[in-house]
Amino acid sequence: MPGKAHPADGGGKQLIQDVYQYAQDVEFGGRIAFLEDYDLHMARFLVQGVDVWLNNPRRPSEASGTSGMKAAMNGVPNMSLLDGWWPEAYHPADEKRAANGWAFGEVQYGDWETQDEVDSQALYRLLEEQVVPLYYDRDVNGLPRGWVKTMKEAMRTSLAAFSMRRMVKEYVEQMYLPALRSGE
């Protein structure tokens, strides 16, 4: 479970504590890994060692999505709620290109219990109907061609769109230059 709960996300903090407790339980021995002190160094290894980056914060508690961006830049498709960076980044497959990942949780409800139930069912359905079948669909050489297309699309769409160059350009154009002009 990489990442950190948003400081205002009490439920997220509690979930992390619950996962930690489960990871300590001998009944789950070897099935749950809890990695403390998640940082850039650890993220580097996690991003290189996963097939899909699952991100399911409670909206609107996604901090910024930098781990998901980093994963996509390394060819790891994201599977995420539409929060944080993902609404801007995600695109489904169409006749010209592969999807760059998967999105769920399009509808927001007024209470957490309903929201969690609907989002969890959408997540399971997406896994069963799209993600897992695509991952295991292999050609005669054992290569998952569709999955590789999704990986490449994740890299293609994230590298230029989520860069320091873009951030600096947008800050200059949208913040600094207008502030300079209003001061003249």
Side-chain angles (χ1 to χ4, degrees), residues 111-159:
D111 67 280
W112 289 122
E113 189 173 323
T114 302
Q115 189 69 59
D116 290 346
E117 178 63 24
V118 169
D119 287 346
S120 68
Q121 291 305 312
L123 169 65
Y124 295 137
R125 192 170 37 260
L126 197 55
L127 280 167
E128 290 175 10
E129 296 174 5
Q130 294 182 36
V131 179
V132 173
L134 184 65
Y135 183 81
Y136 286 104
D137 182 21
R138 309 293 169 124
D139 67 12
V140 295
N141 297 314
L143 296 174
R145 301 264 182 213
W147 190 267
V148 171
K149 284 181 183 176
T150 301
M151 292 171 63
K152 288 179 179 180
E153 188 67 12
M155 285 189 287
R156 190 187 71 72
T157 57
S158 63
L159 284 167

Side-chain angles (χ1 to χ4, degrees), residues 9 11-12 56-62 81 83 112-113 116 119:
D9 185 4
N56 56 340
R58 278 186 162 172
R59 288 163 297 213
S61 297
E62 169 62 275
L81 279 169
D83 190 28
W112 289 122
E113 189 173 323
D116 290 346
D119 287 346

Side-chain angles (χ1 to χ4, degrees), residues 27-44:
E27 182 180 339
F28 295 103
R31 294 191 179 119
I32 298 174
F34 186 86
L35 307 172
E36 296 184 47
D37 300 323
Y38 177 75
D39 61 8
L40 291 173
H41 180 72
M42 186 181 296
R44 181 175 151 227

Side-chain angles (χ1 to χ4, degrees), residues 51-131:
D51 294 308
V52 65
W53 194 265
L54 175 62
N55 189 40
N56 56 340
R58 278 186 162 172
R59 288 163 297 213
S61 297
E62 169 62 275
S64 65
T66 53
S67 292
M69 291 175 197
K70 196 176 333 175
M73 290 174 189
N74 282 279
V76 178
N78 276 252
M79 180 177 179
S80 180
L81 279 169
L82 289 166
D83 190 28
W85 77 295
W86 199 229
E88 179 184 351
Y90 169 70
H91 72 77
D94 60 28
E95 60 279 346
K96 295 182 181 179
R97 61 186 180 179
N100 63 351
W102 300 271
F104 62 100
E106 292 84 7
V107 180
Q108 285 189 254
Y109 295 88
D111 67 280
W112 289 122
E113 189 173 323
T114 302
Q115 189 69 59
D116 290 346
E117 178 63 24
V118 169
D119 287 346
S120 68
Q121 291 305 312
L123 169 65
Y124 295 137
R125 192 170 37 260
L126 197 55
L127 280 167
E128 290 175 10
E129 296 174 5
Q130 294 182 36
V131 179

